[in-house]
Amino acid sequence: MPNMSLHKVPMPEQDPNVRNKNFKEVALGYTEEMAMEEAKRCLHCKNKPCVSGCPVNVRIPEFIAEVAAGNFEKAYEIVASTNALPAISGRVCPQESQCEGKCVRGIKGEPVAVGRLERFVADWYMKNIQKDVVKPETNGHKVAVVGAGPSGLTCAGDLAKLGYEVSIFEAFHTPGGVLVYGIPEFRLPKAIVASEIDNLRKLGVNVMTNMVIGRVLSIDDIFEMGFEAAFIGSGAGLPSFLGIEGESLLGVYSANEYLTRINLMKGYLEDYDTPVHKSKNVAVVGGGNVAMDAARCAKRMGAENVYIVYRRSEAEMPARAEEVHHAKEEGIIFKLLTNPVKVLGDETGHVRALECVEMQLGEPDASGRRRPVAVEGSNFELPVDSVIMSIGTSPNPLIRTTTKGIEANKHGCLVVDESMCTTREGVYAGGDAVTGAATVILAMGAGKTAAASIDKFLKEKK
Amino acid sequence: MYKIVTKRQLNDAVTLMEVDAPYVAKKALAGQFIIFRVDEFGERIPLTIADYDREKGTVTIIFQAVGRSTKLLASLNEGDYIHDFVGPLGVPTHLDGYKKVCVIGGGVGCAIAYPSAKALFQKGVEVDIIAGFRSKDIVILEEEMKAVATHYYLTTDDGTYGEKGFVTDKLKALIEAGNQYDLVIAIGPIPMMKFVSLTTKPYGIKTMVSLNPIMIDGTGMCGGCRVTVGGQTKFACVDGPDFDGHQVDFDELMKRNSFYKEEEQHDANHICRLFGGKRNA
């Protein structure tokens, strides 16, 4: 009998007033019983709309059927056959606009908790099964992957499974990209990322850290080293600033800097050397997931008042509904329809306030969202000592400016065809480097498509 | 992991290390820098490349032990390993098309000025070097710099060695004596670079400085190192570290560099719980 409850089986979470003082994971995950109960809510529709909503086409009803029957290992194998990083995507995907957005159960009531089930299956496997990953027999062909973020890791994993000798070149000292420097520990424990990367190593993938491609090696050097194809998954890490007065005052950060200090450099732990300024009152400018992450980190670092300053209304916020909900529970204060116009400093050059103006929603703009218009004379000062700019990022120009034959559009995004091939033969690209800042799962999907294209390209070349 | 091949104490506080880093050595050029992380708990700290040997695959760094990370680095010995060593980063110093250049190094800044002077001298450019130090006991790289200079001048603030005075005094004297420099390169403490820039401005001599803001990644992804140059925001790690000294907002840079003073103070005295003592103890 299917479970006809209109609601998802709730997932246990840390209490908001406890968790906003620690960096431990907020969502604690399903138990076996919870997972089996939730799995029974799936109706096993014939046309499987959920699968079409998943960028890596996980065979969702199939794996859920195995969970319902208690065959967790089998369920994992089904998920892992198309998704290289299930413990990660189950946690950070915006399921409401992907698989779960298409779920029939969501028409009346809540959709099946596909993300929570995927996460359960991956965590269960990691905890209970110590199966050796078998390194596939090599086909003798070498492929280079630039960037160890979600797209690069997925591409590398898929190619390694096909027998390619894959080397990943990563600029940071730790692989993972946004999974390690951006998304905080309380949403995605770093041990999980490390374990997924260990699995890649066991597949024979060579992960080279401290390699800034464009400086230490060019794409041409990589081909000279004997690599026959390259995948560029260098992301969109270049932060934008507003260009308003006072942005160079002490206490103004990009979200990238703030999050890197905390997450990658572990500035929140006492035994690590990287300092993080202890702010009392913080304004985070922006309304995306990165803004939510920065605000929730600031709260955990001990800030008394943390404001989200966003120029549109909550309905237009690009952040996941769940993250906005979590942020509110943790005491983050939302200043909506509010736009910063100037950062104000004291005589020592430190931030003392953010001058803002109230906004009204006008006519829809080209993106279909209603354009915010400033209300004249509504300026006010928000007293803060730190301002974190989280208004978006764009692709880093380093690779495209040092590589011949790779075209980019006016936003600096690499131009690719449907096979993810750039304008240069043998060089593929995917993820945020192509789309601009998007989601982890879209980057994984792009890495997957590129791996298949690279395989086809090299087989035809032979 | 990157092996320390050679370690030499240049004075009480300044250490030279030659590090085995073949990829970096192969591409390094004057004016570029590396970022090191001493161990798993370490922070990422930028240091300019003082020299490199493409054959041996080594990169030389020269640094002053001023805080926790540089002290930890200085405590390592030949044969020890540095956890992370990434580079070459930044844009190489533009050295083409000059006839007569004055290279000015202040204190440990001489280590950064040296590779530019050397590269220019090897191109056949007439190179005058002014090396300035607080006093005699901290003089470094005297022989090395003499070897790549047409004229080498040494100043000390207290007159204990060479000429008494600041590098700006010597620079002004040389200009007024009729030396026609088509470029001045100044590398050292921020006030020194600021005053060299103020000295050359009235003469209209192009002046390049190498900025040293706080950095984390060094690849352009955080903007922690942003500086104002000619009224525009630049990221020193990817747009620099070299900039036109007449355009740089030095006062802002000085303020930004003082942001973590409190934390740095705290860190220097921090007792690590994991090891039951300071890591360098």
Side-chain angles (χ1 to χ4, degrees):
Chain A
M1 263 302 285
N3 168 0
M4 291 312 290
S5 165
L6 294 182
H7 299 285
K8 292 178 179 175
V9 173
M11 178 149 61
E13 285 177 353
Q14 273 197 79
D15 180 80
N17 280 314
V18 173
R19 72 179 192 235
N20 67 11
K21 292 170 194 71
N22 70 50
F23 276 81
K24 288 184 211 148
E25 196 170 14
V26 166
L28 303 172
Y30 278 160
T31 60
E32 293 185 7
E33 293 72 29
M34 289 173 188
M36 287 167 74
E37 195 191 335
E38 177 62 25
K40 292 193 178 106
R41 292 185 66 230
C42 176
L43 298 178
H44 299 281
C45 327
K46 269 211 184 80
N47 58 346
K48 306 179 179 79
C50 52
V51 177
S52 67
C54 172
V56 296
N57 301 124
V58 169
R59 285 138 54 204
I60 293 166
E62 280 180 60
F63 100 77
I64 289 184
E66 298 297 343
V67 175
N71 300 328
F72 306 133
E73 186 174 350
K74 185 82 195 33
Y76 174 82
E77 281 161 9
I78 295 168
V79 174
S81 69
T82 62
N83 182 351
L85 312 164
I88 294 165
S89 57
R91 284 175 166 81
V92 304
C93 270
Q95 288 100 2
E96 64 272 23
S97 56
Q98 296 177 335
C99 53
E100 294 181 21
K102 297 258 170 94
C103 177
V104 170
R105 291 298 303 266
I107 298 167
K108 191 179 172 215
E110 289 183 323
V112 174
V114 179
R116 293 176 184 180
L117 290 173
E118 183 182 51
R119 167 194 163 143
F120 165 77
V121 160
D123 288 0
W124 183 91
Y125 188 88
M126 220 176 262
K127 202 172 135 208
N128 294 290
I129 307 288
Q130 266 89 36
K131 222 182 238 179
D132 279 342
V133 179
V134 183
K135 190 183 158 184
E137 201 177 319
T138 171
N139 65 16
H141 293 275
K142 286 168 74 181
V143 180
V145 170
V146 179
S151 71
L153 295 175
T154 306
C155 185
D158 278 17
L159 287 168
K161 283 181 194 160
L162 291 168
Y164 289 94
E165 288 180 22
V166 183
S167 289
I168 303 183
F169 297 91
E170 164 58 38
F172 265 138
H173 55 263
T174 309
V178 75
L179 306 173
V180 294
Y181 78 73
I183 303 173
E185 179 78 15
F186 57 80
R187 276 219 290 141
L188 177 63
K190 301 308 148 215
I192 287 171
V193 183
S195 142
E196 298 280 28
I197 290 164
D198 266 351
N199 283 340
L200 287 185
R201 287 202 177 95
K202 287 177 193 155
L203 280 172
V205 174
N206 174 26
V207 183
M208 297 176 76
T209 52
N210 294 329
M211 298 294 275
V212 182
I213 302 305
R215 292 270 189 243
V216 71
L217 293 173
S218 66
I219 297 291
D220 293 294
D221 293 332
I222 284 174
F223 280 100
E224 270 172 39
M225 287 162 76
F227 291 96
E228 296 157 88
F231 172 77
I232 301 173
S234 50
L238 186 74
S240 304
F241 287 89
L242 281 171
I244 58 175
E245 203 183 316
E247 278 187 311
S248 56
L249 287 166
L250 305 185
V252 182
Y253 300 89
S254 71
N256 267 6
E257 176 182 354
Y258 192 71
L259 291 171
T260 299
R261 283 180 181 274
I262 291 175
N263 300 323
L264 178 74
M265 305 312 296
K266 302 200 188 299
Y268 68 96
L269 295 173
E270 225 191 299
D271 287 328
Y272 288 76
D273 293 341
T274 302
V276 181
H277 196 67
K278 298 275 193 295
S279 314
K280 275 208 178 71
N281 300 295
V282 183
V284 179
V285 179
N289 286 317
V290 177
M292 298 305 134
D293 286 344
R296 297 170 71 194
C297 280
K299 190 80 188 176
R300 284 163 172 77
M301 293 301 293
E304 286 160 24
N305 297 299
V306 181
Y307 307 96
I308 289 279
V309 177
Y310 182 54
R311 65 195 180 118
R312 301 179 197 248
S313 72
E314 186 165 337
E316 287 85 17
M317 269 200 173
R320 287 187 68 190
E322 190 187 341
E323 301 311 324
V324 174
H325 173 71
H326 277 151
K328 282 184 178 168
E329 281 186 333
E330 288 167 13
I332 309 297
I333 306 156
F334 282 67
K335 294 273 181 197
L336 302 170
L337 288 165
T338 303
N339 203 31
V341 290
K342 198 197 261 186
V343 189
L344 305 166
D346 61 18
E347 62 288 348
T348 62
H350 288 76
V351 173
R352 71 169 176 83
L354 185 65
E355 185 181 324
C356 300
V357 63
E358 287 171 20
M359 307 295 278
Q360 261 175 355
L361 288 184
E363 294 300 308
D365 63 12
S367 75
R369 293 192 297 181
R370 292 176 66 192
R371 204 166 63 85
V373 190
V375 179
E376 221 170 295
S378 65
N379 294 45
F380 68 98
E381 286 183 14
L382 190 63
V384 291
D385 52 38
S386 295
V387 178
I388 301 170
M389 294 295 176
S390 178
I391 52 167
T393 55
S394 57
N396 190 311
L398 198 52
I399 289 175
R400 82 181 123 86
T401 53
T402 54
T403 309
K404 278 190 211 99
I406 295 184
E407 278 171 34
N409 69 16
K410 65 176 175 57
H411 302 292
C413 301
L414 301 180
V415 176
V416 296
D417 62 18
E418 66 285 348
S419 75
M420 311 306 288
C421 188
T422 64
T423 47
R424 182 167 161 177
E425 196 190 47
V427 179
Y428 294 75
D432 288 3
V434 167
T435 57
T439 63
V440 167
I441 191 74
L442 282 173
M444 288 168 56
K448 218 173 167 54
T449 306
S453 302
I454 289 170
D455 180 46
K456 187 163 174 272
F457 166 71
L458 291 177
K459 283 210 172 104
E460 281 169 7
K461 217 177 94 181
K462 273 179 230 171
Chain B
M1 301 283 268
Y2 302 81
K3 194 177 185 176
I4 299 165
V5 182
T6 315
K7 179 187 179 184
R8 194 149 52 92
Q9 221 46 54
L10 300 187
N11 64 38
D12 282 352
V14 177
T15 310
L16 175 150
M17 277 180 183
E18 202 183 345
V19 180
D20 185 45
Y23 283 111
V24 187
K26 204 172 168 193
K27 282 291 172 76
L29 288 169
Q32 290 187 297
F33 64 96
I34 58 96
I35 283 187
F36 79 88
R37 196 170 69 116
V38 72
D39 62 21
E40 206 194 322
F41 300 92
E43 52 186 339
R44 293 169 66 95
I45 298 285
L47 287 176
T48 304
I49 294 168
D51 211 347
Y52 48 81
D53 187 326
R54 301 211 201 282
E55 300 279 294
K56 268 169 76 186
T58 58
V59 172
T60 303
I61 47 174
I62 295 174
F63 60 95
Q64 190 165 5
V66 286
R68 184 173 181 81
S69 291
T70 41
K71 281 178 187 161
L72 282 171
L73 183 61
S75 73
L76 297 181
N77 293 309
E78 278 178 19
D80 289 345
Y81 288 86
I82 302 173
H83 205 288
D84 297 292
F85 193 88
V86 53
L89 300 169
V91 180
T93 305
H94 184 76
L95 298 169
D96 289 328
Y98 300 106
K99 287 195 190 77
K100 184 165 173 151
V101 176
C102 183
V103 177
I104 306 174
V108 74
C110 286
I112 311 170
Y114 169 70
S116 292
K118 182 176 162 187
L120 285 163
F121 191 75
Q122 285 171 348
K123 282 176 192 285
V125 177
E126 196 178 327
V127 179
D128 285 358
I129 293 180
I130 308 173
F133 302 92
R134 218 171 40 244
S135 64
K136 185 182 180 183
D137 52 330
I138 61 163
V139 169
I140 58 167
L141 298 175
E142 189 179 354
E143 291 314 310
E144 289 86 344
M145 285 189 127
K146 270 183 187 161
V148 297
T150 316
H151 299 99
Y152 174 84
Y153 308 97
L154 193 151
T155 65
T156 48
D157 299 359
D158 60 3
T160 44
Y161 194 55
E163 295 178 43
K164 183 173 165 37
F166 297 126
V167 291
T168 42
D169 302 331
K170 186 70 206 171
L171 174 64
K172 196 156 192 238
L174 287 170
I175 295 169
E176 303 219 310
N179 284 286
Q180 303 231 334
Y181 298 115
D182 43 14
L183 175 70
V184 169
I185 296 176
I187 302 165
I190 302 169
M192 173 226 139
M193 293 193 283
K194 176 183 169 178
F195 285 106
V196 167
S197 301
L198 288 173
T199 305
T200 56
K201 201 167 183 190
Y203 300 100
I205 304 169
K206 185 174 171 186
T207 302
M208 295 300 289
V209 293
S210 178
L211 301 187
N212 55 346
I214 293 173
M215 285 188 191
I216 300 114
D217 61 292
T219 62
M221 64 79 76
C222 88
C225 66
R226 61 193 189 278
V227 289
T228 305
V229 181
Q232 284 188 313
T233 299
K234 299 276 181 192
F235 290 4
C237 71
V238 287
D239 300 319
D242 290 350
F243 291 101
D244 178 349
H246 298 150
Q247 303 283 325
V248 170
D249 186 337
F250 288 104
D251 296 336
E252 177 188 287
L253 174 60
M254 248 179 282
K255 267 189 197 148
R256 285 185 63 83
N257 276 5
S258 70
F259 188 48
Y260 288 102
K261 230 176 207 163
E262 258 177 58
E263 286 86 351
E264 280 162 10
Q265 210 61 39
H266 166 80
D267 269 3
N269 302 316
H270 169 62
I271 307 292
C272 178
R273 280 176 304 170
L274 287 180
F275 300 103
K278 286 184 195 177
R279 296 211 304 277
N280 55 338

